[in-house]
Amino acid sequence: MNYQDRTISSEASNRQLASRTATAERSKKLANSTEGGNFFAEDRNIATVLPQYMDAALLTHLKPHLTELGALCGGRLAELSDVAERNKPKLASRDRYGRDDETVEYHPAYKEMENIAYGQFGIHAMAYRPGVLGWPTAMPPLAKYVFQYLFSQAEFGLLCPVNMAGSSSELLRRYGSQELKDQYLPAMLSQDMSELMRSAQFITEKAGGSDVGAAELKAVPEGDHWRLYGEKWFCSNVSADVVVLLARPEGAQAGGKGLGLYFMPKSLPDGSRNSYKIARIKDKLGSNSMASGEVVLDGAVAYLLGDQTRGLKHMLEMVNSSRVSHLARAAGMMRRCLNEALVAARTRDAFGKTVIDHPLMRRQLMKLMVPTEQALSALMYAGMVSHAEGDPKAEKLLRIMTPLAKYRACRDNITVATGAMEARGGNGYIEDWPNARLVRDAHLGVLWDGTSNINALDALQRSLKKERAHVDLRKDLDERLKAASGIPGQFRTRMEKALDSAFSFAEEVASSPENERFCRVAAGLLYHATTMVLLAAEGARAGGEGGDARRLVLARFALEHRLLRNPLTSIESQRWEEDAIDALLRDEPVSMDAAATLMSL
């Protein structure tokens, strides 16, 4: 064991000892945390919804692996993540001989997390090749999103390169030459850490962040390859072995239609370093375990992927995957935040009683719970329709769900993280506890793969107005609502009216450029309407099978507080919430009869 390994062990041991001592001594003076639990086994909500969206045989096969990862998330992975966060990667510009050969130096804690993500579980490869975790075929995308949902509850930063590994391999598979595929694909999807080639996608430039079409990186043809000249401004996983990036072929037209898609290895076939330099590593607000940097390309060798006039379109094919991955991370982080708030409220006394027994805290916890469960439903649904490649209906559903969920769930993640910090109080602001870091990391979701404005515009002006994807979404929601038995008729009618209003408003907004300022409002309403129906259908199905119907109760909260947003006009109109909050904050399942009663109050 080297010095750094001993440091990890020492730091983790000291924190564990301090935690056990504090737990033994606090006597409800200081709130506990979720560390030490099994984040999968203790997640009643994923246990309710996952069987409704995933093939039973696959779920049975994956449960032991998910349980294993859940234990790691509450234990070793959480320890490693904390150490890696405190020990940021560093850039060594030269090697020991004085040669300009930059190396990004990662703490051993980060390397061990890579072993867990890539080597042990193969999260990067499970949806792209057979054999991962012993499954005979490539798994449906939902599988990787569930693992990301779980993993993100302990570590956020590493999931960016993990997800890029899969999407980059898919771009190479679709558009690369056979020679390139034979040379690189096996290593990009390997679980052998000695063979693995880590991947990245360098898109952003100074001239164009959200406006990708303004990119200026120049590509010059040279024999069977191209040379790249210019800069990339925000390059996550900057030390990657292979990179997919956009560049403008020499003489190509301006705008997005003039961009080509290229595959750039870090090292050339003769072992020499490719002609690009890492200018610096970004000092980011969050996601500190993973290195993001700036890159200067000075004749770097790269290979064209696909049609050189359709590079942006080729890259955008992976946007759905990236946005659903952001949804998975947002849903997972909100779950961690909610659980931290619940544990804090249940294990601390204030003003003579347990914190969770105070009415204002109970209401605050519901403000965290509802968006968390909405995001889980959105993730299950988007993950399920991601699998149906070649199915026009499923492709339309995915097309509209990804910008809607990326817009709203990532914004909700910030609110939930902040609310969970407040639920812990002043300790939540201290780096000894997980809340401050969760707040920092939550903000990345509204920046990468499209800001809130970009996603709202995409949902309304493109997926709805141009592609009419909302027609298929509305039809599917109507069918799900119709099939959900046991929902009281009056509440069903209210949901149907709310659906009509949300979709009608969205169509009105999309009908004219003058209405662009309402795109975010419309996107939010569509998300809330969609998740309301999903929650109701999930709860009705689970309750009808004798399981936990709490998601049906949550559907009413989504309707009342997120979709309708009715002003509070009388205390009497809110009486139903007291019984509903009692039911949702208890550990016991909610029966279908109890849920139906709460829908009718």
Side-chain angles (χ1 to χ4, degrees), residues 20 95 102 181 276 297 301 310 357 385-386 405 426 449 471 483 492 504 521:
R20 288 194 296 269
D95 66 13
E102 308 100 343
K181 288 187 281 190
Y276 68 90
L297 302 100
V301 172
R310 298 176 60 83
D357 292 330
V385 298
S386 296
D449 290 300
V471 175
R492 185 187 295 273
S504 295
V521 176

Side-chain angles (χ1 to χ4, degrees), residues 337-338 341 361 364-365 367-368 412-425 435 439:
C337 291
L338 172 62
M361 177 55 73
Q364 182 177 350
L365 290 171
K367 288 180 176 290
L368 309 183
D412 284 345
N413 191 16
I414 297 172
T415 303
V416 170
T418 305
M421 173 185 282
E422 186 180 11
R424 188 172 292 282
N435 297 89
V439 170

Side-chain angles (χ1 to χ4, degrees), residues 543-560:
E545 295 172 351
D548 193 345
R550 66 178 52 238
R551 301 187 79 74
L552 181 55
V553 183
L554 287 160
R556 182 168 182 183
F557 276 94
L559 173 65
E560 304 279 1

Side-chain angles (χ1 to χ4, degrees), residues 152-327:
S152 65
Q153 295 179 46
E155 163 62 19
F156 173 79
L158 180 58
L159 283 177
C160 175
V162 166
N163 188 70
M164 286 194 297
S167 58
S168 297
S169 73
E170 183 63 10
L171 286 169
L172 177 58
R173 185 191 69 81
R174 292 184 185 185
Y175 301 113
S177 68
Q178 191 59 50
E179 182 180 0
L180 278 179
K181 288 187 281 190
D182 291 342
Q183 184 174 355
Y184 292 103
L185 267 183
M188 292 172 69
L189 297 176
S190 176
Q191 288 178 258
D192 184 336
M193 300 305 293
S194 66
E195 297 178 354
L196 175 68
M197 299 190 79
R198 295 160 181 81
S199 306
Q201 295 168 10
F202 298 171
I203 307 300
T204 305
E205 299 184 21
K206 294 176 186 176
S210 296
D211 184 8
V212 178
E216 298 174 341
L217 184 69
K218 183 171 68 173
V220 178
E222 183 180 284
D224 65 347
H225 59 268
W226 296 67
R227 295 278 185 176
L228 304 180
Y229 298 88
E231 296 186 19
K232 287 294 183 181
W233 178 243
F234 207 107
C235 307
S236 290
N237 201 27
V238 71
S239 60
D241 301 296
V242 294
V243 179
V244 175
L245 70 176
L246 292 169
R248 193 176 307 281
E250 194 173 36
Q253 68 182 89
K257 293 181 179 180
L259 294 175
L261 184 66
Y262 296 88
F263 183 87
M264 181 181 73
K266 180 179 181 179
S267 299
L268 300 177
D270 64 2
S272 63
R273 176 65 190 271
N274 207 348
S275 301
Y276 68 90
K277 291 178 62 65
I278 303 171
R280 66 165 174 156
I281 292 180
K282 302 277 194 180
D283 187 9
K284 305 192 298 292
L285 174 67
S287 186
N288 287 317
S289 62
M290 183 269 296
S292 300
E294 299 166 18
V295 172
V296 178
L297 302 100
D298 185 22
V301 172
Y303 303 92
L304 182 67
L305 297 179
D307 186 333
Q308 74 177 58
T309 67
R310 298 176 60 83
L312 182 56
K313 289 188 176 182
H314 293 334
M315 176 61 80
L316 289 177
E317 292 175 12
M318 292 297 104
V319 166
N320 283 338
S321 172
S322 295
R323 287 177 174 174
V324 180
S325 179
H326 277 290
L327 170 59

